[in-house]
Structures are given as structure tokens and as C-alpha cells.
Amino acid sequence: MPKKSFQQISSSHLILHPKTLTMEPDPQTLTQFHILPQPTYVDSLRFLPPLSAFDRHIAVASFNSDTSTPTLTLNSITPPTPTTPPTLTPQSSFTPSSRITSLKTTQTPQQNPLIAASTATGSVHILFPNPVDGSFESEVSVPDNVLHLGRITCLDLLESGLECVSVGEDGRVNVISVGDSGLDYRRVVDGKGLVSYSAVRWASPMEFATGGLGNCVQWWDLRRGGAPVSQFKGNWGQGATSGIIHSIDIHPSRKHTCLAGGSNGNVFAWDLRRPQQPIVLSGVDNGETATCISESDVWEVQYDTFMSASDHAKLSSIGVLPAMICSEDGMLAVIKQGEEPIELLAENCAINCFDIDRHNPSDVICGLEWESIALLTRA
């Protein structure tokens, strides 16, 4: 498979952000809040597993609308001091075949970081950052229109980094294996455009969940053939069937419960043990509006691993773990079952993506529609 070129960025090419905005955070929810303007549109971002004990990095997928150029950049984070704001320093960059549609990071069994990116023209790129200097050491890819005909809507990496699952608007579901000789793949199903998938998440090395049109969520088991073994159709409220699932998360300690977010502010948990009884956290429940943190598209959901001592004490009794969401109407919030949502940000533009640092879950990064990255530290 052909190698792609990537560039290590020297100090003379650093992109500085002198207009970083340090805003006064709400002391009850945040201890630090900084907005870092960017030169291009931020499509996705992810914390990278630590390259060393003292370094922190984030991978940023961006798009220059003036030149129609997509870029994946690996940035080191310089933390703030009492007198200076934080900065992002680009270490290395890579130009994919087209605009990045999904971005994931993990560690290999050898504790080396790994980045996976999918594109609008159907390619998948796997990159291996150098643990010493943060540069992209190598890259392997599957070219355009091999895995999917057109846009790959989402991909996900196993925690080991050895396999990746991809879904697309063409109705295809593929599993890609990452090996020493490159990438191999097998097609799980080809919907031939009759169905469309927009979200996917691994639950175990043999199981994953997908989401798509009609607020539908499907559960797949690779040991049981090329079809979902369970499915939920979003028919719990009037108009819900016209929605779409944008994001899915599954917690490793509760793989039977799938967290999903999508159109009209809908966020719900789907429990495989009660497949037709969703637990609605935000949106519409049995035709009536439940607590609704947002009335627009929920672009991303993640289980929130940042918990207080009281939250940990209630873990065994609560049905659904706390979840963080971001939305088209500029909300970043934490939702807890049976409680009022905790609003972390309310911006004047869409928050397209976010990530929680799994090694330090008080830290969160967000991609804002107005070409900015927000860095938050929670109280």
C-alpha cells in the first residue's frame, strides 16, 4: 500500500495564537477556560495517549476552505501559567486524500500511540506518531473507494489499535486489521445504498453498535454473520423516526448499554436487556418533551469519566453513567439520569466536537464552528 507524505514542522513554521482568549470560568463547574483561535475550520480533535510522562498532545483535523486543503496536525500543549495562556505547538502534519470525516486515537499493545482518520472520498489512514519527538513516524492507508463508495461517516478503533470498524452512507460496514505488513479489511455487510450508517462504536473485539437514519441503533456480533443481532427503531415519540443518530458511545464496564445522540436534542441509552425501552436522557420520551438541554443536533456524546466522590458512591445504583454532549446550538453539557443537566459552555456558534482526556478527565477540548479550539479544566 502506498505511503503518504507528511511533514515535520520546525520552529520557524509554528502557528502561534497570540489572540488566545482567557475567560473567567464559572467556579462551580470550571477552574480554567481558554479559547484558541485557529487559522482553519476544525473538523475533529482528539487527545493523544501520553507520548511521555511530561508531554501532552492533541490531534486536530482541519480544513482550509480558501484552498480546499484538509490537514491532520499533531500539536503539543503548553499548559497555562499564572501569567500566560496555554498554547498549541504543531509538531507534524499530514495531508490526507480529502476532508477528514472521523478521527480516533488509541495505544497499541506496545504502548505506542496510534491515530486513525477516515475521509469524504472513502479512504482510511492509520498514522504512528514518534514517541520521542511527536512527529509522524509512518502511515499506511486504504485508498479512495475501496472500503466505501464515497463518504465514510464514522470509524472506531479497538482499544488495542489492532482493528478498526468503518461505516458509510453507502450502507457498507467494514472491519480493517492493522498489521505489520499494512492494512487488510473484510466487508461485514454491503447495504448497496439501501441503508445508511452515521455512527459506530466497538463494544468488544467481536461486537459493535451502529446508528443511522430513523434514530435506529443496531448491535452486531462478528461471530453471528453479517447482520445485526439486535435493533432498536426510534419510534418512542412523534417525529423521532425522522431523526438521525450522529454519535454512539459504549462504556467498557457496561457494554450492554449503548449511549446515543442525534437530531432534535435526543440523547438516550439503549439497554440490550430491554431493547425496546430506551432510557431518554434528553429530548422526547413517549411523545412528551423530557429534560432537553438542546433542541438542535447533538453532534457527539461520550460517557463522562470525571466524577466526584459522591458520584463514585452512587455508581452501583445509577442506571446510566453520566454523559457529556455537544450540540449545533453551542452547548457543552453533562447529563445525569434523573438530574438537571450541568451546562459547561453556551457558545454563540456550534460546538462540532469534543474530547475528554482519559488520563486526566477533568480536562476537555472542544472544536468550535468559528475556527477555534476551547480548552477547559473542570472544578
Side-chain angles (χ1 to χ4, degrees):
M1 297 180 186
K3 301 271 184 172
K4 296 290 193 302
S5 60
F6 36 83
Q7 177 185 5
Q8 186 166 2
I9 302 175
S10 67
S11 58
S12 61
H13 293 87
L14 296 183
I15 303 174
L16 302 178
H17 306 291
K19 295 183 180 180
T20 297
L21 303 178
T22 301
M23 305 182 71
E24 191 67 29
D26 181 346
Q28 293 185 342
T29 57
L30 301 176
T31 59
Q32 294 183 36
F33 173 41
H34 308 276
I35 292 183
L36 282 63
Q38 302 295 299
T40 52
Y41 189 94
V42 177
D43 283 321
S44 187
L45 40 68
R46 291 287 180 261
F47 280 106
L48 207 65
L51 299 178
S52 71
F54 304 102
D55 295 329
R56 300 180 70 196
H57 292 78
I58 61 171
V60 178
S62 61
F63 184 75
N64 189 322
S65 56
D66 294 330
T67 61
S68 297
T69 303
T71 304
L72 175 61
T73 307
L74 188 60
N75 304 269
S76 64
I77 304 176
T78 302
T81 69
T83 58
T84 60
T87 58
L88 295 181
T89 304
Q91 301 291 301
S92 188
S93 67
F94 166 74
T95 302
S97 57
S98 60
R99 192 165 184 171
I100 290 174
T101 57
S102 186
L103 183 68
K104 293 295 169 66
T105 60
T106 190
Q107 278 183 321
T108 67
Q110 294 76 32
Q111 301 300 306
N112 294 320
L114 183 150
I115 301 171
S118 62
T119 71
T121 50
S123 63
V124 168
H125 305 270
I126 307 293
L127 297 105
F128 303 88
N130 187 308
V132 177
D133 60 11
S135 64
F136 288 133
E137 193 169 65
S138 61
E139 181 268 349
V140 290
S141 63
V142 180
D144 295 349
N145 297 321
V146 173
L147 294 169
H148 294 269
L149 298 176
R151 179 185 179 89
I152 297 177
T153 50
C154 190
L155 58 71
D156 191 36
L157 279 167
L158 273 177
E159 285 297 311
S160 66
L162 298 180
E163 285 196 314
C164 176
V165 59
S166 68
V167 297
E169 295 174 341
D170 57 1
R172 291 181 179 180
V173 179
N174 299 289
V175 172
I176 305 110
S177 299
V178 182
D180 294 335
S181 59
L183 303 181
D184 295 316
Y185 77 94
R186 66 185 187 276
R187 184 152 295 140
V188 178
V189 69
D190 186 351
K192 300 185 183 300
L194 299 177
V195 294
S196 177
Y197 301 105
S198 53
V200 65
R201 184 71 169 167
W202 285 106
S204 74
M206 287 293 169
E207 299 164 294
F208 57 86
T210 58
L213 293 173
N215 277 333
C216 287
V217 183
Q218 302 85 15
W219 190 269
W220 304 72
D221 189 330
L222 295 174
R223 297 162 296 194
R224 298 172 63 180
V229 297
S230 185
Q231 178 169 277
F232 166 70
K233 294 183 178 181
N235 57 358
W236 67 87
Q238 184 178 3
T241 55
S242 63
I244 184 172
I245 298 298
H246 295 304
S247 179
I248 291 174
D249 197 16
I250 298 173
H251 196 278
S253 69
R254 300 187 182 187
K255 75 168 192 175
H256 57 270
T257 304
C258 175
L259 178 70
S263 304
N264 305 314
N266 284 319
V267 180
F268 64 93
W270 178 47
D271 193 328
L272 285 172
R273 299 167 300 182
R274 292 176 288 275
Q276 298 307 317
Q277 298 176 7
I279 303 170
V280 178
L281 303 177
S282 175
V284 178
D285 186 7
N286 294 320
E288 298 182 3
T289 301
T291 299
C292 192
I293 187 64
S294 170
E295 297 181 356
S296 64
D297 289 278
V298 172
W299 292 124
E300 187 155 11
V301 295
Q302 289 187 31
Y303 280 114
D304 188 10
T305 53
F306 179 69
M307 298 184 191
S308 64
S310 59
D311 287 333
H312 280 286
K314 294 186 293 184
L315 273 181
S316 60
S317 60
I318 59 176
V320 181
L321 298 174
M324 185 177 291
I325 67 105
C326 70
S327 68
E328 175 67 22
D329 56 5
M331 299 298 298
L332 180 74
V334 175
I335 301 174
K336 298 181 181 181
Q337 185 180 7
E339 299 183 20
E340 287 296 313
I342 301 172
E343 183 181 298
L344 298 178
L345 288 182
E347 293 296 307
N348 294 323
C349 65
I351 300 178
N352 299 318
C353 53
F354 73 90
D355 197 26
I356 302 170
D357 188 347
R358 67 181 68 184
H359 298 278
N360 189 17
S362 63
D363 290 345
V364 182
I365 50 175
C366 308
L368 308 185
E369 186 176 31
W370 289 351
E371 298 184 352
S372 298
I373 293 175
L375 280 70
L376 299 78
T377 300
R378 290 184 279 177

